[in-house]
Amino acid sequence: MNVVVAKTGTGRALGDAFAVARDRLPGKGAISDLRRQAFEAYERMGLPHRRIEDWKYTDLRALMREVLPLAPQPDATALDRAAGTAKAQAIEGVRRLVLVDGVFAPDLSDLAGLQKGLTIRPLRDVLEAGDALSGQAFTADSSNPMIALNAALATDGVVIEVANGTVLTQPLQIVHIASAAAPGAIVTRSLLRLGRDAVATLVESYLAADGATAYQAHDALVVAIGDDARLDHVRLVEDATGAFNISSATVSLGAHAHFNTFGMTTGAHVSRYQLTVAFAGEGSKVETNGVNLINGKQHADTTLLLDHAVPHCDSREIFRAVVDDRAHSVFQGRIIVRPHAQKTDAKMMTRALLLSDEAEADNKPELEIFADDVTCGHGATTGALDENLLFYMRARGLPEKEAQALLIQAFVGEAIETIASDTLREVAIAAARRWLEARA
Amino acid sequence: MSLLEVKDLKVRVDEREILHGLSLSVNPGEVHAIMGPNGSGKSTLSHVIAGKPGYEVTGGQILFRGEDLLEMDPNERAAKGVFLAFQYPVEIPGVTTWNFLHAALNAQRKARGEDEISSPAFLKKVREVAKSLNIPQDMLKRGVNVGFSGGEKKRNEILQMALFEPAVCILDEMDSGLDIDALRIAADGVNALRSPDRAMVVITHYQRLLNYIVPDVVHVMSKGRVVKSGGKELALELEESGYAQFEDAA
Ligand SMILES: Nc1ncnc2c1ncn2[C@@H]1O[C@H](COP(=O)(O)OP(=O)(O)OP(=O)(O)O)[C@@H](O)[C@H]1O
Ligand SMILES: [Mg+2]
């Protein structure tokens, strides 16, 4: 058994913290049992480290060392600071749902005038009511220590239901804000259910109020997309440069459904995003695209698992990493095509651009194909900016940094342009531009 | 003072000397032609003048209006008025020609302490130039040179030259890949830019181009040196007898 027992002092401290935190954690009965089991599962495995294949490039024992005790409940000052951040980084035209230090903040959120067929509730309320959805919010792989830990400690989140046939007229945004000056763990979990024929756009943003630095954000998103439904999903990690963001999304699709997701990481000291997509119905299509723009000593890991369990589904992946200074980008993409998943069409293309000699990018595409009538392919490249192009541009008068910026924009543009919503595409382009301007 | 002065220039690439003490002096208003066999170092000279990395200058000087060009970054040279039309223009996918030219022109203006040019004013200007060179508008919306034919790439170089209005234009085989009509249009574009305070250095293998762009001086380059200079009749002479007579001189 490749179970590693965390017999470290920190493991114990966390165990004690869990005992203390339990009173704060919503959910009784079955949920409470689930949390205890999840915590025990985490304790058996401990913080993942490089000898576990999936975590080879992201050794949390070395990078994070310990899971901090839960951040305190935000007080009025914390909420004030978070309100400032939410306002400063607001995206025009979206319905904002704000979580501050892991607690749903109704006053900062926009819950008025929900369109028919849309329900939004804080996870805490759902758990405390012992609602049937509680269990669904907790469906996720407990063999992953960090997802198990999240299940054990999640304090709050958002539960969104979009009824059959409902087409949302406005994108929804879950805004995670860390306000705490004192570092702590912020553990959240959200659930999104799209009914049959429903259409929705969800943005997730991870932000830090001024002064919040070495916090740990642990988030889990569980998504169920019904038959013929469509979800567009944009995820923007703009955490503080000293912060950790260890998150997951677990998505299942019905038949003839469409999931388009784009993730961009510019923030956080260490981030890991584990996206698992399971095809449960035929004729569905998934596009998982992303961009890392990182520098300094940042470490950003995107780990994908696409499980083609049924026939006639398509998946497309475009990932672009831009890595400067001593930063480290990790992309792991695993595509499983199960024996009867014939006519699967899966393509994965990942490219990394290294802007310094000490920058590092690890690409690990993996295809596990057990069906014979499929079209699958992957490609991975790593390289520097083309010197000939740079010289041509400089010979036309562009200073080196500006020439680089144009080439980098073009490079990440190939992934950004897959975002369906004009507004959100512009948001991603603006974030990329900010990163490039900060570099110049 | 000459506009561009190359003095006893020695250049190495990968430990191998390619230019062995080359001198060239170009005055404002003049058109110089450089001819010479393949591999004689013509493109190397043009690259070193423009500031391409990877060349080691082991001796000599390049002065532009008396200033040491070798001390400047390529973009500084461009802003000062040095322009190279590349023998092999590169393709830049994902960067539209509009954007690229606008950014480049503004970078040059900024470096010279001039105001930036607004998008509408820029569009107007670039449209006029494109029209005069018979370049369709939709080419400007595409990535720089992406999917352009060889001839279109060359015309795009002349377009940039007309847009930036440089003081010294080095044209490295602008005639290669151009059909007869395109050659005439491009040459007209170049001639339109001839002026008393602008100089041109035209690198070519063919006398034909020099019928359109008539040079004041013709240089023969061989094995990394200028081995002979003369008037425009020198080009005709070369066309007849080839380079063999000069190879010995080098
Ligand atoms: N980067 C390089 N590395 C090694 N050798 C080089 C490099 N660049 C040029 N050379 C060599 O320098 C010599 C001169 O090349 P250059 O391109 O300047 O010639 P040219 O006169 O422009 O030739 P052509 O008429 O074919 O364009 C050639 O022998 C070439 O192989
Ligand atoms: Mg050449």
Side-chain angles (χ1 to χ4, degrees), chain B residues 42-43 87-88 172-173 203:
Chain B
K42 304 180 297 295
S43 293
Q87 181 174 2
Y88 303 109
D172 193 355
E173 295 197 27
I203 297 171

Side-chain angles (χ1 to χ4, degrees), chain A residues 386-404 406-407, chain B residues 43 45-53 55 69 72-90 92 100-101 103-105 107-109 111-112 144-145 156-157 160-161 163-170:
Chain A
D386 186 324
E387 288 295 336
N388 282 321
L389 301 198
L390 279 175
F391 171 61
Y392 184 84
M393 298 171 91
R394 296 181 72 196
R396 294 298 176 251
L398 288 166
E400 189 168 22
K401 284 272 158 92
E402 263 184 69
Q404 289 182 347
L406 281 178
L407 293 180
Chain B
S43 293
L45 172 66
S46 69
H47 287 153
V48 174
I49 293 172
K52 186 171 182 171
Y55 295 92
L69 213 52
M72 297 178 208
D73 284 338
N75 42 299
E76 283 180 77
R77 301 181 197 198
K80 295 244 181 208
V82 176
F83 181 87
L84 167 62
F86 284 71
Q87 181 174 2
Y88 303 109
V90 297
I92 315 178
F100 172 63
L101 297 181
L105 184 59
Q108 289 195 21
R109 295 176 69 98
R112 292 193 292 260
V144 177
N145 291 327
N156 194 18
E157 295 293 286
Q160 297 181 44
M161 181 171 124
L163 198 62
F164 298 141
E165 303 175 62
V168 166
C169 311
I170 298 157

Side-chain angles (χ1 to χ4, degrees), chain A residues 68-231:
Chain A
L68 296 171
L70 288 178
Q73 296 257 15
D75 56 15
T77 327
L79 288 170
D80 259 7
R81 286 148 50 84
T85 306
K87 200 168 162 215
Q89 308 212 32
I91 298 172
E92 202 66 30
V94 303
R95 182 181 287 280
R96 245 186 292 159
L97 308 164
V98 181
L99 296 161
V100 179
D101 298 339
V103 177
F104 185 72
D107 293 346
L108 306 186
S109 301
D110 184 7
L111 289 172
L114 296 188
Q115 84 182 80
K116 193 170 163 288
L118 171 63
T119 332
I120 301 174
R121 285 178 292 167
L123 177 73
R124 172 171 287 269
D125 293 2
V126 172
L127 295 180
E128 280 176 349
D131 192 297
L133 279 180
S134 300
Q136 290 186 28
F138 280 85
T139 13
D141 177 13
S142 65
S143 70
N144 179 311
M146 300 317 287
I147 297 179
L149 182 74
N150 180 288
L153 293 176
T155 48
D156 208 345
V158 188
V159 175
I160 303 166
E161 288 173 277
V162 184
N164 291 346
T166 301
V167 176
L168 291 191
T169 52
Q170 197 181 16
L172 305 173
Q173 184 193 20
I174 303 178
V175 189
H176 299 260
I177 302 176
S179 85
I186 299 167
V187 190
T188 49
R189 182 169 272 256
S190 294
L191 172 68
L192 170 62
R193 288 180 54 79
L194 287 193
R196 192 173 5 93
D197 288 309
V199 177
T201 299
L202 174 70
V203 186
E204 293 182 282
S205 300
Y206 299 83
L207 306 174
D210 286 344
T213 52
Y215 61 88
Q216 298 175 350
H218 298 268
D219 184 40
L221 176 70
V222 178
V223 178
I225 304 175
D227 293 348
D228 298 291
R230 172 174 179 140
L231 175 64

